[in-house]
Amino acid sequence: MKTNPNINEPRPLQWLLIGIALLFLAVMLVIPLTAVFAEALKGGWRLYLASLSDPEALSAVKLTLLTAAIVVPVNAVLGVAMAWLLTRFDFRGKQLLTTLLDLPFSVSPVVAGLMFVLLFGAHTALGGWLEAHGIQIIFAIPGIILATLFVTFPFVAREIIPLMQAQGDSEEQAALILGANGWQMFWRVTLPNIKWALLYGIILTNARAMGEFGAVSVVSGHIRGETNTIPLLVEIFYNEYNFVGAFALSSILALLAIATLAIQDILTKIQQKKHRAAEREAA
């Protein structure tokens, strides 16, 4: 086991801390995750696949993927724009805007859902006007997308802002002095410099979008086969004692989470390899 030469804790203490960490991970992560797959496959592969091919399950999967497919690109663009604004410009109210950026982290998702109900509900002025023109937000797919957009908004910006602050704008200023216009500077200088942080933010946004429950539960209305995402349908199946269906869908979410972590780990290794290669070239 490699240790930091500046740290001289006794070897038994090191093994004790490692043991505590592994025990915690086993109890809180590995065992529950294994239990989900064990319960999902308890009735065999045929029943497992039948649960996933249920029309309600297929509808929930499609809605979850549709929501993520819309939310992730929109939040990627908005996150980059917000990071650019907060790191490259000084203006009155900048600190307030930076604070408000973390609002989705501090507000309960259920409260976020209620905010949209109070704004777009059928008994509100705006919601009533929209429904009169054939646009339904609450208890429909648009409401689910808006709620998911809100709770996932900070992830991309919060990944990019520290990096852009650390890098500064010297390279961008140099590109402008050499004759590049704004778009050329962004595509050839800014975007390559923030691409890894942007990818991490996109991965986190995608994971949260597919697993969001609280805000989506409030605005969805739980309409069977129409507005239930995977997390919502898991709760419904569980409450109806359809344990195989509930755990089968839970296993899908677990697999998506594992895939997200695997992609993040791969990107980290690629970034580290490129960083070491750049250091060797500089040396």
Side-chain angles (χ1 to χ4, degrees):
M1 181 179 60
K2 294 182 179 180
T3 60
N4 190 327
N6 297 320
I7 300 177
N8 298 315
E9 282 86 356
R11 183 62 61 89
L13 178 59
Q14 296 176 17
W15 285 110
L16 176 62
L17 294 175
I18 292 173
I20 292 173
L22 292 176
L23 178 62
F24 177 81
L25 290 175
V27 172
M28 300 301 296
L29 296 176
V30 178
I31 295 176
L33 189 62
T34 304
V36 167
F37 288 98
E39 290 293 330
L41 297 171
K42 193 174 182 179
W45 281 100
R46 181 174 298 180
L47 186 58
Y48 175 80
L49 295 176
S51 299
L52 293 179
S53 60
D54 180 84
E56 284 192 59
L58 291 176
S59 174
V61 172
K62 290 178 182 178
L63 179 55
T64 302
L65 294 178
L66 173 64
T67 302
I70 295 174
V71 167
V72 172
V74 171
N75 269 344
V77 174
L78 292 177
V80 172
M82 182 64 71
W84 180 278
L85 174 66
L86 294 177
T87 59
R88 296 296 183 261
F89 299 95
D90 290 319
F91 54 91
R92 183 177 298 177
K94 178 178 177 179
Q95 186 57 47
L96 176 62
L97 186 59
T98 303
T99 303
L100 290 177
L101 180 62
D102 291 329
L103 186 63
F105 287 151
S106 57
V107 172
S108 167
V110 175
V111 175
L114 287 174
M115 288 164 47
F116 285 102
V117 171
L118 293 174
L119 182 62
F120 296 108
H123 300 291
T124 63
L126 180 57
W129 183 85
L130 289 173
E131 289 202 7
H133 290 78
I135 303 174
Q136 184 175 355
I137 303 297
I138 303 302
F139 306 150
I141 295 176
I144 294 173
I145 293 173
L146 285 175
T148 308
L149 277 170
F150 177 82
V151 298
T152 59
F153 175 71
F155 286 104
V156 172
R158 277 303 173 197
E159 287 290 327
I160 297 176
I161 287 175
L163 179 62
M164 294 186 69
Q165 288 175 334
Q167 290 176 342
D169 62 351
S170 58
E171 293 185 19
E172 295 163 353
Q173 294 294 339
L176 292 175
I177 292 173
L178 292 174
N181 58 37
W183 280 109
Q184 289 174 328
M185 177 195 68
F186 175 77
W187 287 107
R188 297 186 180 184
V189 178
T190 304
L191 189 59
N193 285 340
I194 65 171
K195 62 181 179 181
W196 294 110
L198 176 59
L199 286 172
Y200 291 148
I202 288 174
I203 290 172
L204 293 174
T205 301
N206 183 66
R208 179 65 185 272
M210 290 189 294
E212 175 56 31
F213 178 85
V216 172
S217 178
V218 175
V219 302
S220 71
H222 295 278
I223 302 174
R224 306 289 291 249
E226 294 184 21
T227 62
N228 281 324
T229 59
I230 295 178
L232 301 185
L233 193 58
V234 167
E235 183 197 30
I236 292 174
F237 279 172
Y238 190 83
N239 289 336
E240 293 178 347
Y241 302 101
N242 182 2
F243 297 124
V244 174
F247 283 107
L249 287 173
S250 297
S251 69
I252 297 299
L253 286 178
L255 288 173
L256 291 172
I258 293 172
T260 299
L261 292 176
I263 294 172
Q264 186 175 10
D265 184 63
I266 291 171
L267 292 176
T268 300
K269 290 181 179 179
I270 294 174
Q271 183 183 17
Q272 290 174 347
K273 287 182 180 179
K274 290 190 175 184
H275 182 68
R276 287 194 294 266
E279 287 182 342
R280 287 195 295 268
E281 290 178 2

